[in-house]
Amino acid sequence: MTAAVPASSLPRPTAAAAARAQRQRHKRIDTRLAGYLFLLPWLIGFFCLTLGPTLSSLYLSFTDFNLLQSPKWIGFQNYVRMFVADSRFWGAVKVTLVYVLFSVPAKLVFALGIAMLLDKGIRGLTVYRALFYLPSLLGASVAIAVLWRQIFSADGIVNSALALFGITATSWISNPSTSIYTLVLLSVWQFGSPMIIFLAGLRQIPQDLYEAASMDGASKWRRFRRITLPLLAPVIFFNLVLQTIDAFKAFTSAFIISGGTGGPIDSTLFYTLYLYEEGFGNFRMGYASAMAWVLLIAIAGFTAAAFLTSKYWVFYEDDGKR
């Protein structure tokens, strides 16, 4: 059995080794400080411009605040009024849900169709890709919304084209039955962003799968349904979540086309437009803050539901299962 070595006989660290260890500690501290310094602008922006206003709006949602006087605590009265006594609130919810349910699927289907056409390797692909992406690059700008209002007005381009076929002109924007669908078309027209993502996903699908299916006699529709859709499911899911969140937050197009009123007869009164009207038009900032938190919870609930249901239809190759 080996005898224990006395502690007094162990080699002591030299002064040079201790100095090296001290320098290494200082170097690690300097590296961490440099990292925090680079993060400092983001941290300041997060706490001062994101987290701070978010917590402030949560407090204001329980107050009566008109921007001119100090907030007065009223508890849940804003939320009770919203769900029980405000008919325009439910009208705005209905308009927003109609917009989301029609615009998001239509935009995704259209974007996927264009992406599949571009994936064929047509000549001038980069030019077409840039042209198709341009509307999304412009975004929901004021200029685009004004242009859209002129296109669908009583004497706009659409009615001029329909007049050639003897169809009576109508103001699509001033008609409560059609005004919301002009905004849906505007959303679908801005399909460039999901199209680019779909195109990148299509490029990742192995072509030998299509060749093997074609040799087995599978039709184009069967190849699309059995190969393209399952392998493109993660990209579809990503686009679905992003586009739905954007649709819930839509504001500029409805504001410009309706003149900030949500008309005619509230047919384009998006939730965000009503929130803006309550906060900055009627100076009910406490009520607007409560509406903002309801919208946040609704979007969070949709996102959570999308992730929970994705396991039933989103296929990832590394999972080894559907």
Side-chain angles (χ1 to χ4, degrees), residues 20-50:
R20 279 197 304 272
Q22 185 71 13
R23 286 195 298 271
Q24 289 177 354
R25 283 195 297 270
H26 283 284
K27 186 177 180 180
R28 287 195 295 268
I29 293 174
D30 292 341
T31 302
R32 291 171 184 165
L33 286 176
Y36 285 122
L37 284 175
F38 280 112
L39 285 173
L40 188 59
W42 182 88
L43 291 173
I44 293 174
F46 174 74
F47 286 106
C48 296
L49 302 178
T50 302

Side-chain angles (χ1 to χ4, degrees), residues 2 38 75 107 113-114 126 152 165 186 199 234 239 266-267 286 310:
T2 306
F38 280 112
K107 180 190 282 190
I114 298 297
T126 55
F152 286 96
F165 300 94
L186 176 56
L199 185 59
N239 272 333
D266 289 348
S267 60
S310 65

Side-chain angles (χ1 to χ4, degrees), residues 146-164 167-174 182:
V146 171
L147 174 64
W148 209 256
R149 185 172 61 182
Q150 295 300 321
I151 291 175
F152 286 96
S153 62
D155 55 350
I157 298 175
V158 172
N159 282 332
S160 298
L162 293 176
L164 298 176
I167 300 176
T168 304
T170 181
S171 180
W172 302 91
I173 293 175
S174 300
T182 62

Side-chain angles (χ1 to χ4, degrees), residues 107-292:
K107 180 190 282 190
L108 294 183
V109 170
F110 193 70
L112 178 58
I114 298 297
M116 293 182 67
L117 289 177
L118 295 180
D119 190 48
K120 301 299 182 182
I122 61 176
R123 183 178 299 178
L125 173 61
T126 55
V127 176
Y128 286 113
R129 188 167 53 194
L131 289 176
F132 289 146
Y133 186 71
L134 185 59
S136 293
L137 190 63
L138 296 175
S141 64
V142 174
I144 294 299
V146 171
L147 174 64
W148 209 256
R149 185 172 61 182
Q150 295 300 321
I151 291 175
F152 286 96
S153 62
D155 55 350
I157 298 175
V158 172
N159 282 332
S160 298
L162 293 176
L164 298 176
F165 300 94
I167 300 176
T168 304
T170 181
S171 180
W172 302 91
I173 293 175
S174 300
N175 188 340
S177 301
T178 58
S179 56
I180 184 63
Y181 299 107
T182 62
L183 299 178
V184 171
L185 286 176
L186 176 56
S187 175
V188 174
W189 180 66
Q190 297 171 326
F191 65 92
S193 178
M195 179 207 68
I196 293 295
I197 299 174
F198 277 137
L199 185 59
L202 289 170
R203 294 295 175 87
Q204 301 301 316
I205 299 178
Q207 292 300 313
D208 54 354
L209 295 178
Y210 292 109
E211 295 173 0
S214 180
M215 293 177 63
D216 289 339
S219 63
K220 290 184 178 180
W221 167 247
R222 190 173 181 84
R223 278 176 277 168
F224 172 75
R225 191 163 57 91
R226 295 294 186 180
I227 298 176
T228 304
L229 285 182
L231 295 183
L232 205 62
V235 180
I236 296 174
F237 173 70
F238 178 78
N239 272 333
L240 175 65
V241 172
L242 286 188
Q243 296 304 318
T244 304
I245 292 175
D246 285 343
F248 273 113
K249 298 188 302 178
F251 170 78
T252 305
S253 57
F255 180 83
I256 298 298
I257 289 178
S258 69
T261 64
I265 59 173
D266 289 348
S267 60
T268 59
L269 185 66
F270 285 1
Y271 190 96
T272 52
L273 181 56
Y274 185 44
L275 189 156
Y276 172 84
E277 181 181 315
E278 285 293 303
F280 297 97
N282 300 326
F283 296 105
R284 289 195 279 260
M285 189 58 68
Y287 189 66
S289 298
M291 289 185 62

